[in-house]
Amino acid sequence: MSFQPHPFLLIPSQDGTLELIFAAYATTASASTSLIMQLLKHPRVLEKLREELRSKGILHNGCICEGSLRLDNISGLHYLDCVIKEVLRLFTPISGGYRTVLQTFELDGFQIPKGWSVMYSIRDTHDTAPVFKDVDVFDPDRFGQGRSEDKEGRFHYLPFGGGVRTCLGKHLAKLFLKALAIELASSSRFELATRTFPKITLVPVVHPVDGLKVKFFGLDSNQNEILTGTDVMLGATV
C-alpha cells in the first residue's frame, strides 16, 4: 500500500522533528516538573493558590466549580500568574538562544561583526539582572502589583526569549502550567516520595537527574484523602 502525501502536508525533516519534540515536549515537561517541585518546597505558596481559587469562585468545598475554568477566569488569577512567572525565572527550561547579527555593533569595547551568530543566556540574564532582589529566593510576590520587578526593564525577564523571534508557544505553555497548578491545588495532596529532593541538571533542559518521585493522594469534596481498596497511593515520577 503506497502513501501519497497531501500536497499541503509538510513532512518535517529529522532535525525539524527533533526541534518539535524539544520545543513542544521537553521544555513543557521541564517547567511542569519545576512547578511541582517548588509547590512541594513551599506549601505556603500552594495554600495561597488555593485561597485565590476560592476567592475567585473556582474552588468550592474542595472541588473545581463546573464551568469555572474559562480562559477569562484563569487570566484573572494574578497570584497564579506570579507563581508561574517565578518558576520560569528560576528554572527557565533552556539556557539561551541564538541570533544572527544584522548590523555590526560594539559591546563592552568589543566589536561584533555583521553576520556573526551570537548566543544570549537567559539563565545568566535572570541571575544577574539588577531588577530582581534576592535572585536565588523563590518569591512569587516579586511579580505582584506592589513590586512588579519584571516591569523595570525590557530584557531583564525573558524565559521565552525576546524580540521578534520570541517563542510562538509561550501563551499556550503558560496556560498549560496554570491548568496544572489549578489541578494540583484543588484535587490532590502530594508529597515527595524520597527523603531528599533530587539534584538538578541543566542539560539539555532543566530536570532532576533521576526524576522527581512524588506520591499523590486524591481528595474528596471535604479535602479528605481518597484511599484505594488496598490503600495504595498513586506514585509517579515526573
Side-chain angles (χ1 to χ4, degrees), residues 61-174:
N61 289 335
C63 297
I64 297 177
C65 298
E66 186 175 353
S68 63
L69 288 185
R70 302 190 309 271
L71 183 59
D72 56 337
N73 283 348
I74 295 176
S75 299
L77 297 171
H78 300 300
Y79 185 70
L80 173 59
D81 188 59
C82 293
V83 172
I84 300 305
K85 282 184 175 180
E86 182 68 341
V87 169
L88 295 175
R89 182 191 70 84
L90 268 175
F91 305 97
T92 305
I94 59 173
S95 60
Y98 292 92
R99 295 291 186 268
T100 299
V101 179
L102 300 179
Q103 183 176 344
T104 300
F105 67 96
E106 189 173 293
L107 178 65
D108 291 339
F110 294 91
Q111 189 178 79
I112 313 299
K114 177 181 178 180
W116 274 27
S117 292
V118 296
M119 178 180 180
Y120 65 94
S121 174
I122 296 174
R123 192 167 296 118
D124 288 342
T125 298
H126 290 175
D127 287 344
T128 60
V131 299
F132 297 125
K133 314 302 179 186
D134 300 319
V135 293
D136 296 326
V137 177
F138 183 77
D139 179 15
D141 289 316
R142 73 172 72 249
F143 295 105
Q145 293 181 353
R147 292 163 63 181
S148 301
E149 293 182 7
D150 61 322
K151 299 295 192 297
E152 297 183 23
R154 185 181 178 190
F155 290 118
H156 294 309
Y157 180 75
L158 60 166
F160 296 100
V164 295
R165 294 190 178 275
T166 187
C167 176
L168 291 175
K170 63 180 181 180
H171 296 298
L172 178 61
K174 288 190 290 186

